[in-house]
DNA sequence: CGACACATGTAACACGTTACATGATTTG
DNA sequence: CAAATCATGTAACGTGTTACATGTGTCG
């Protein structure tokens, strides 16, 4: 939903045409994430379908300006007022992968973690270089560094977690984690009233 | 791709039927991420379409067992040997949101960050309680705590970043970040040979 | 019996991604 | 002119998500 919402938010600032939206998105997010132009038009059509924007007529230069509707403005307000919900549904590809690999008797978790550590470390280096190159006091530069800082914080956390996993793997070798298939066949029918939902 | 790959990896351990796969996925990932049963069958059909699994005949109890193919096993090996690539395409919803809000003259970034801080903090608390409840030395418990640790590391990084943003916002008030629309109309045609692609 | 979990499946949709087609415009 | 960007769009596909239909078996 990020692309959709960002484009809508940018349109809240004033009418834009498709190609312009890409520039605005790039400027504001530090040109870190490439955004295919086709997706812009795609997204605009879907926003129009949902009555959040309306397509204006092309001007003399052929630019098709899109305008946000009242419903669209409300949606932007709602978006800005609502926090990004993490955790309930947000699946983390890496966490899943490591967990599955760790519980798979046939897999070598340590190797997986090692390989990932290398990749993540290289990735962090790239981010650091990107962050330091083009130090800039312009709004664009500040926005860019903000985004890159976020990615750096994530990369650091990822590496710390990988080290942590490695440590725990030496404490608990893989065979203590490995899970056989189908340990107990589930019995059909009504269960013995699960005592879940304690938290939350 | 995480669901698809995990299910395939589990099938690499031996044939399973659909409902069983959900149990296995839940066990191995600590029951942290709910997985709709329908998606299992959906995914299995797509894996079959790609010739990575094959559908067996139903047994006496009506269970339809799915078996991994040779191509599927290769794919699992490839998956385990290849690191998760972060950064080039992986867009972070929160980073995008904050960056866009910060460059939007009409938005109150500080409020956005504050609200997110609250939500993220609460989320971390929930994770901590989940992590501590049911301390368990079983393989399931260990896998679960591994996953929860990962989410906790992420949550910590997120909160640190939000604090960092808040700090930078006091140094640079929003008007130094705000970006007007369309500051210079791009000129059509060939540009003056961009000096990009320095890094990487 | 009724509720609930077990179990399989179908259909539709959402967002994101990419490949492709088409043309105008400007610079070397 | 040729190349590259600007600019608009279309079509197809991929994964993930959800709602729904259908039926079985078990426990209270």
């Amino acid at each position: 939903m990020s692309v959709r919402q960002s484009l809508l938010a940018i349109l809240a600032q004033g009418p834009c045409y498709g190609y312009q939206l890409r520039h605005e998105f790039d400027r504001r997010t530090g040109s870190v994430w490439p955004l295919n132009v086709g997706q812009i038009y795609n997204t605009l059509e879907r926003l129009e379908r949902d009555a959040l924007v309306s397509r204006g007529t092309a001007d003399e230069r052929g630019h098709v300006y899109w305008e946000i509707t009242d419903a669209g403005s409300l949606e932007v307000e709602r978006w800005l007022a609502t926090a990004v919900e993490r955790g309930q549904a947000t699946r983390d590809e890496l966490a899943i992968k490591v967990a599955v690999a760790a519980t798979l008797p046939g897999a070598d978790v340590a190797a997986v973690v090692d390989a990932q550590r290398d990749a993540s470390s290289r990735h962090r280096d790239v981010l650091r270089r990107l962050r330091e190159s083009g130090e800039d006091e312009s709004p664009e530069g500040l926005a860019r560094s903000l985004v890159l800082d976020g990615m750096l914080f994530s990369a650091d956390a990822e590496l710390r977690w990988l080290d942590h996993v490695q440590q725990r793997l030496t404490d608990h070798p893989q065979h203590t984690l490995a899970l056989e298939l189908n340990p107990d066949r589930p019995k059909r029918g009504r269960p013995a009233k699960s005592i879940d939902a304690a938290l939350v």
Side-chain angles (χ1 to χ4, degrees), chain A residues 4-14 68 76 79-80:
Chain A
R4 179 185 156 101
Q5 301 283 10
S6 333
L7 295 189
L8 190 59
I10 294 170
L11 282 173
Q13 214 178 328
I68 197 167
V76 172
W79 183 54
L80 290 174

Side-chain angles (χ1 to χ4, degrees), chain A residues 69-183:
Chain A
T69 64
D70 291 345
S73 298
L74 273 175
E75 171 57 20
V76 172
E77 275 180 49
R78 197 201 58 73
W79 183 54
L80 290 174
T82 312
V84 171
E85 273 311 325
R86 244 96 181 235
Q88 294 309 46
T90 317
R91 285 196 273 265
D92 180 19
E93 200 179 336
L94 178 56
I96 293 182
K97 181 170 174 174
V98 171
V100 169
T103 56
L104 222 56
D108 183 358
V109 211
V112 171
V113 173
D114 280 352
Q116 184 69 47
R117 236 212 81 93
D118 281 2
S120 300
S121 183
R122 274 196 303 275
H123 179 220
R124 184 178 59 179
D125 291 344
V126 172
L127 288 176
R128 281 213 254 248
R129 261 176 290 155
L130 280 175
R131 168 68 227 260
E132 260 133 61
S133 83
E135 197 89 37
D136 194 344
E137 287 293 306
S138 69
E140 285 92 340
L142 291 171
R144 181 185 173 83
S145 66
L146 231 50
V147 170
L148 285 171
D149 282 340
M151 297 174 80
L152 274 166
F153 278 50
S154 285
D156 284 337
E158 189 168 300
L159 280 162
R160 273 199 300 274
W161 181 65
L162 287 167
D163 289 342
H164 176 74
V165 170
Q166 216 161 29
Q167 183 56 49
R168 294 196 62 180
L169 282 177
T170 63
D171 297 347
H172 303 270
Q174 186 167 13
H175 58 83
T176 64
L177 270 162
L179 284 170
E180 293 305 320
L181 237 38
N182 228 14

Side-chain angles (χ1 to χ4, degrees), chain A residues 19 22 35-45:
Chain A
Y19 216 87
R22 184 165 76 155
L35 182 52
N36 187 297
V37 204
Q39 191 172 343
I40 303 275
Y41 298 100
N42 227 336
T43 305
L44 282 171
E45 275 166 28

